[in-house]
Amino acid sequence: MRRVGISLTGVLGFLVVAALLAVVAVAVLRESRPEAAAVSTGCESRAGVQVTTTTDFAPVVRAAVDRLAGDVEQCSFDVITASSADAAERIASGTQVPQVWIPDSGIWVERARLGDAGPALTVGPTLATTPVVLAVPGSLAPRAGSLAVQPWQDILRGPLALRVGDPADSTASLLALTSATEALTGTPQGDQLLLTSIIRMSRQAVAGEELLAEASTDTTEATAVAATEQQVFRQLTDATGPPLGVVVPAEGVAPLTYSWVVIPGEDEDDATRDAVARLEQSLLGVAGVVDRREAGFRTADGDGAPDVPAVPAGTAVVSPAPSLGEAQAILADWDAAGGDVRVLAVVDTSTSMLSSAGDRTRIELATDGLGSALEIVPPTSQAGLWMFSSNQASGAEWTELAPIDTLDAGRDDGGTHREALLAEVASLTDRTEGGTGLYDTVLAAYRAVQEDYDPDAVNTVVLLTDGREDEPGGLTLYRLLVELQASADPERPVPVHIIGVGTDVYEHELRLITELTGGRHHLASDPAEAGTVFIDVLTRPFRAE
């Protein structure tokens, strides 16, 4: 019986021949198609895969990249650090677009999508989160109270003297301000506290990275600063300064949320797509979870809090992330609060201002409101004070009590212009007499502010009156409007805001005057509202419309 088969020698011979033919074929192809080599190199033909993320999260990304060393031979990774706000701006304009972006909030993703030149963004899984907290220097901790959780009202009124970074650049600061705004807005007291705090903080803002460093020095000027739980954990772990305490806003703050965002390019090759996918797997895998936790980040659902002594488990209060519109409103308010005003406050001191409004007089309510408003106005702004009635010693219908000057300007007695101004405001309650010389005063005040116009500030007149023009021989309403029209200068706008108190004012004439100058009229039919309205009007330039 014959065996049917192939000998081992025959098989080996066949394989050797086949291998030789394959080598020859490859060599022929390379000679005839040299461009194929360039295509096959994938990422090597470019700068590699660019990954943009924040300074805090970059070590986690670099650890994931290191795990891929030798595994993704055709692609290199370039980890670039930038604030999420800066990255969003670059992506939106198309000036610097990475293959992968890991921002610290979805707000910046939405912001990047607003750009006309921006590419398509594909948002993937959430990689990590970290709550926003207030880092408190050790010297302030005893005065901050024993509770780790405090309402915004106590935080801003207490000894912490909170500082934040520019919310246009610091996500933690933006989210903290959003929380404070939502908690305090809606009542006159809350609005005033919030505005006062934002004005102060806008003038003390530094880069977000510098805030924690300044708090860590724990000098006598140290303040609480907006930070993240992860940043405090890192400071404690690295022992880069005195230990920091933590206060958490009771109303809750949205956490920083790090998401995987892929930005595919039009000419992206398979090697790049494969490298991006492998990096995502490296971050999401078990080793990636360990990296994130060791760096002080929580998981996507907020679990795995790092060991920060002042933040026991469950203490960090979080709330939903704000919308892009809410965030932009905060940024607009911040920008407005950082400006300056040049205001002339003009107060009616006619006899009728002594009329009772409950257990107080109209002039008392007006001076209280004006004084409170001047306390809010930042020291770099300018303010002056006039009173007006028909019985002025000067013979005119108004008297200058304090010239327009910078509030922190020094005086010969060692005080400041603000202190002198507040003293004059307090004296108005003893200076009420005569009738109401409204029209001549409005024109004179308008021209006085316009004459020394400051192009770097909002120049305005704020006038309060409880009556109507009753001075014979003065300007008529028609003549006042003609003179205001003739004096108008588009290069030197001076809006006149008039607060009418009580029921004796003519709303129609107030509207004509204010609309002609670009200002507004405000009616407080209940004189008890005069102070609140005065604060609202005088501080309006520091709020976005």
Side-chain angles (χ1 to χ4, degrees):
M1 185 173 173
R2 289 183 65 190
R3 290 190 171 189
V4 180
I6 301 175
S7 69
L8 178 60
T9 303
V11 171
L12 291 175
F14 174 79
L15 292 175
V16 170
V17 171
L20 290 172
L21 289 174
V23 170
V24 172
V26 170
V28 170
L29 286 173
R30 284 180 176 175
E31 287 292 328
S32 61
R33 296 181 59 190
E35 72 277 5
V39 173
S40 67
T41 57
C43 291
E44 288 184 357
S45 63
R46 293 189 267 168
V49 176
Q50 186 181 110
V51 183
T52 298
T53 190
T54 66
T55 301
D56 292 328
F57 201 71
V60 177
V61 178
R62 292 192 177 104
V65 167
D66 290 342
R67 281 192 296 275
L68 296 177
D71 191 25
V72 185
E73 297 179 354
Q74 292 180 330
C75 290
S76 62
F77 293 93
D78 187 12
V79 181
I80 297 174
T81 59
S83 72
S84 295
D86 284 345
E89 184 177 346
R90 296 170 191 169
I91 292 170
S93 63
T95 56
Q96 187 175 355
V97 181
Q99 280 82 22
V100 176
W101 180 30
I102 306 177
D104 55 18
S105 173
I107 293 172
W108 306 118
V109 177
E110 296 304 312
R111 188 102 177 244
R113 283 174 169 159
L114 295 179
D116 295 334
L121 304 178
T122 303
V123 181
T126 297
L127 302 176
T129 62
T130 183
V132 174
V133 299
L134 309 181
V136 182
S139 61
L140 276 177
R143 287 180 283 160
S146 58
L147 294 179
V149 179
Q150 296 185 22
W152 273 113
Q153 180 170 293
D154 292 348
I155 290 170
L156 295 180
R157 282 182 175 164
L160 297 181
L162 177 66
R163 295 182 66 185
V164 300
D166 185 343
D169 191 61
S170 167
T171 304
S173 297
L174 174 61
L175 297 176
L177 288 173
T178 303
S179 171
T181 299
E182 184 174 342
L184 296 173
T185 299
T187 66
Q189 297 80 8
D191 289 340
Q192 182 176 341
L193 175 60
L194 179 65
L195 181 59
T196 303
S197 301
I198 290 179
I199 289 174
R200 173 184 57 78
M201 290 188 291
S202 68
R203 284 158 172 76
Q204 298 176 339
V206 297
E209 301 80 27
E210 296 178 31
L211 279 177
L212 203 65
E214 291 190 7
S216 298
T217 60
D218 202 12
T219 63
T220 55
E221 293 80 22
T223 67
V225 301
T228 67
E229 179 186 69
Q230 185 270 339
Q231 289 173 332
V232 175
F233 171 80
R234 187 184 64 202
Q235 190 264 2
L236 294 172
T237 303
D238 296 343
T240 54
L244 295 170
V246 168
V247 169
V248 178
E251 293 85 353
V253 184
L256 271 65
T257 303
Y258 290 83
S259 298
W260 177 262
V261 181
V262 177
I263 311 176
E266 295 181 358
D267 58 345
E268 189 169 88
D269 54 35
D270 291 340
T272 300
R273 284 189 288 270
D274 178 66
V276 169
R278 287 173 179 266
L279 179 59
E280 180 181 6
Q281 294 169 4
S282 182
L283 282 166
L284 291 173
V286 175
V289 172
V290 173
D291 289 340
R292 294 197 296 276
R293 290 192 171 180
E294 287 182 348
F297 291 99
R298 299 191 182 201
T299 60
D301 56 7
D303 290 337
D307 183 17
V308 177
V311 188
T315 299
V317 183
V318 299
S319 62
S323 66
L324 177 61
E326 290 169 333
Q328 289 179 319
I330 296 298
L331 296 177
D333 283 342
W334 180 268
D335 288 341
D340 280 311
V341 297
R342 181 173 177 270
V343 60
L344 177 58
V346 184
V347 181
D348 185 348
T349 53
S350 60
T351 304
S352 58
M353 288 291 287
L354 289 172
S355 300
S356 297
D359 58 351
R360 312 197 67 196
T361 63
R362 293 177 178 179
I363 190 65
E364 288 174 336
L365 293 169
T367 55
D368 283 355
L370 176 55
S372 296
L374 290 173
E375 291 283 5
I376 297 174
V377 176
T380 50
S381 287
Q382 305 167 59
L385 176 66
W386 286 12
M387 67 178 182
F388 75 99
S389 68
S390 59
N391 289 354
Q392 300 298 310
S394 63
E397 294 179 358
W398 64 91
T399 296
E400 180 184 86
L401 300 179
I404 300 176
D405 200 356
T406 306
L407 289 171
D408 65 354
R411 287 288 174 263
D412 293 340
D413 61 1
T416 64
H417 180 63
R418 190 198 302 267
E419 292 168 342
L421 194 59
L422 291 172
E424 293 291 354
V425 170
S427 74
L428 291 176
T429 54
D430 299 323
R431 296 182 173 186
T432 49
E433 60 176 339
T436 305
L438 178 62
Y439 299 154
D440 287 271
T441 302
V442 168
L443 182 61
Y446 178 88
R447 287 175 172 170
V449 174
Q450 190 182 60
E451 182 178 359
D452 295 318
Y453 190 86
D454 183 353
D456 296 323
V458 177
N459 297 253
T460 185
V461 174
V462 178
L463 183 146
L464 182 142
T465 183
D466 73 340
R468 60 183 72 104
E469 174 70 37
D470 60 7
E471 182 65 14
L475 286 174
T476 62
L477 176 60
Y478 171 77
R479 193 63 199 170
L480 169 62
L481 297 177
V482 170
E483 293 293 339
L484 288 172
Q485 182 78 50
S487 300
D489 181 353
E491 298 297 322
R492 296 182 298 165
V494 179
V496 176
H497 301 281
I498 301 180
I499 303 169
V501 179
T503 58
D504 293 333
V505 295
Y506 284 160
E507 180 181 4
H508 175 66
E509 69 178 24
L510 300 188
R511 178 183 292 111
L512 290 175
I513 296 169
T514 55
E515 289 184 352
L516 182 62
T517 63
R520 296 179 180 178
H521 73 285
H522 309 261
L523 295 181
S525 55
D526 181 356
E529 300 173 358
T532 301
V533 176
F534 220 142
I535 295 173
D536 178 71
V537 174
L538 197 57
T539 58
R540 185 172 295 276
F542 300 104
R543 290 169 291 177
E545 293 293 333

